[in-house]
């Protein structure tokens, strides 16, 4: 797309034509170029501007990387609103030590809607509905993470993959299709970390995670639930080691029938409804 100086962005010092001259004082250790982005209130794709050092005074040299690219993100496209069943997990690994990648969790999922800039998806591995807790509450002994899409639109059906290291306070780092997300842990002293001996995870959107007295309430939308605790996977009233399903999630969840801390969908990829896709992944 065409990026226009003055309309999409300006610089300080200002450009004269396509040239920006940056003055610097004698013995200055560094100089800077400030760029201001103008909000044009138009829904559009990302735009890029390439800056290149083309000349320096006598006694200086241009380094081997004289070019830098500025990406101007769109902030006018509405965030994607997701509903239960709009996400399905295609694979996970609770530890990648066998691949010499540390002890990270890795999770891959797809979304049945385009994910636009500014869309937030939340994840938690906390249990829901434990018999010893107030009705309708979640544990807070594990993580609750908000993941904000800062890059361009991800097309529906694209495989999205992120990793979470095992250390305390680790946050999701996205691997595919890019890493243009920002993650924030909202569960204070607890961390998202899938257990090798079985765990659960939920994808969510909207609402507020309210912590009080060791439990949390949540008034947003639960999009998808996965359990790989197989004895049993979902419980009618969760314990400290296995979760119940939130109301209305029976058709938008899956539970593995064999104990495993590694799972990957390798079945058919032909066109199917969202519910059929969930059944395909669950029944493989």
């Amino acid at each position: 797309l065409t990026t226009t100086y003055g309309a999409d962005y300006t610089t300080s010092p200002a450009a004269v034509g396509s040239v920006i001259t940056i003055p610097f004082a004698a013995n200055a250790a560094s100089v800077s170029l400030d760029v201001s982005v103008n909000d044009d209130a138009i829904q559009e794709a990302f735009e890029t501007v390439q800056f290149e050092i083309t000349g320096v005074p006598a006694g200086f040299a241009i380094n081997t990387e004289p070019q830098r690219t500025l990406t101007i993100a769109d902030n006018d496209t509405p965030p994607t609103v997701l509903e239960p069943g709009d996400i399905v997990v295609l694979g996970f690994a609770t530890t990648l030590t066998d691949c010499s990648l540390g002890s990270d969790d890795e999770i891959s999922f797809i979304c049945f809607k385009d994910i636009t800039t500014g869309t937030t998806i939340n994840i938690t591995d906390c249990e829901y509905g434990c018999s010893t807790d107030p009705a309708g509450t979640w544990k807070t002994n594990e993580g609750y993470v908000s993941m904000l899409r800062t890059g361009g639109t991800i097309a529906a059906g694209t495989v999205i993959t992120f990793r979470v290291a095992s250390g305390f306070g680790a946050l999701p780092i996205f691997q595919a299709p890019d890493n243009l997300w920002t993650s924030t842990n909202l569960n204070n002293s607890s961390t998202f970390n899938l257990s090798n001996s079985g765990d659960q995870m939920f994808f969510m959107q909207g609402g507020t995670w309210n912590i009080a007295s060791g439990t949390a309430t949540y008034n947003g939308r639960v999009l998808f639930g996965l359990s790989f605790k197989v004895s049993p996977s979902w419980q009618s009233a969760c314990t400290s080691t296995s979760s119940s399903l939130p109301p209305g999630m029976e058709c938008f969840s899956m539970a593995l029938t064999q104990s495993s801390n590694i799972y990957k969908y390798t079945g058919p990829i032909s066109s199917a409804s969202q519910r059929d896709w969930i059944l395909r992944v669950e029944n493989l």
Side-chain angles (χ1 to χ4, degrees):
L1 294 177
T2 300
T3 308
T4 305
Y5 186 89
D8 296 308
Y9 72 102
T10 56
T11 62
S12 179
V16 178
S18 60
V19 176
I20 303 171
T21 301
I22 305 176
F24 59 92
N27 300 317
S30 63
V31 294
S32 62
L33 168 67
D34 296 325
V35 181
S36 298
V37 176
N38 301 326
D39 187 355
D40 56 13
I42 298 173
Q43 296 183 20
E44 57 191 341
F46 281 23
E47 299 172 316
T48 59
V49 184
Q50 182 171 285
F51 296 91
E52 181 177 6
I53 300 173
T54 58
V56 293
F60 291 82
I62 299 175
N63 68 17
T64 57
E65 298 181 6
Q67 297 179 344
R68 289 292 185 271
T69 299
L70 168 70
T71 299
I72 301 176
D74 174 40
N75 66 342
D76 299 301
T77 300
T80 303
V81 176
L82 301 174
E83 302 294 340
D86 281 340
I87 280 177
V88 62
V89 173
L90 295 183
F92 68 87
T94 63
T95 176
L96 297 178
T97 52
D98 291 341
C99 302
S100 300
L101 294 172
S103 54
D104 298 4
D105 296 334
E106 183 172 272
I107 300 165
S108 295
F109 68 96
I110 60 171
C111 183
F112 294 102
K113 293 179 180 177
D114 293 346
I115 297 178
T116 57
T117 305
T119 298
T120 297
I121 299 173
N122 305 324
I123 57 170
T124 186
D125 54 341
C126 292
E127 299 94 348
Y128 171 83
C130 289
S131 57
T132 56
D133 296 331
T137 62
W138 302 73
K139 289 289 189 183
T140 58
N141 58 324
E142 300 185 81
Y144 176 82
V145 178
S146 176
M147 306 182 297
L148 172 67
R149 176 62 181 169
T150 58
T153 297
I154 299 177
T158 301
V159 178
I160 302 169
T161 300
F162 63 87
R163 291 179 184 160
V164 187
S166 61
F168 177 78
L171 292 170
I173 299 175
F174 283 78
Q175 311 294 314
D178 56 42
N179 64 350
L180 301 178
W181 296 75
T182 298
S183 299
T184 305
N185 184 16
L186 301 179
N187 220 23
N188 299 331
S189 60
S190 301
T191 300
F192 184 97
N193 185 21
L194 298 179
S195 171
N196 290 339
S197 59
D199 213 331
Q200 67 283 312
M201 71 179 96
F202 297 94
F203 284 73
M204 307 140 104
Q205 189 183 59
T208 304
W209 182 264
N210 291 305
I211 300 174
S213 302
T215 61
T217 59
Y218 177 68
N219 57 4
R221 299 177 300 282
V222 182
L223 309 175
F224 184 78
L226 166 67
S227 174
F228 55 101
K229 292 180 176 177
V230 296
S231 56
S233 295
W234 299 115
Q235 297 191 3
S236 57
C238 91
T239 66
S240 60
T241 58
S242 189
S243 178
S244 304
L245 269 175
M249 289 303 297
E250 290 79 5
C251 294
F252 307 114
S253 60
M254 57 180 281
L256 300 191
T257 57
Q258 300 181 47
S259 179
S260 176
N261 58 8
I262 299 175
Y263 175 83
K264 180 179 180 181
Y265 177 74
T266 58
I269 58 173
S270 56
S271 178
S273 69
Q274 291 175 232
R275 179 55 185 160
D276 286 341
W277 261 107
I278 294 174
L279 290 172
R280 280 178 174 178
V281 176
E282 182 175 17
N283 295 331
L284 183 65

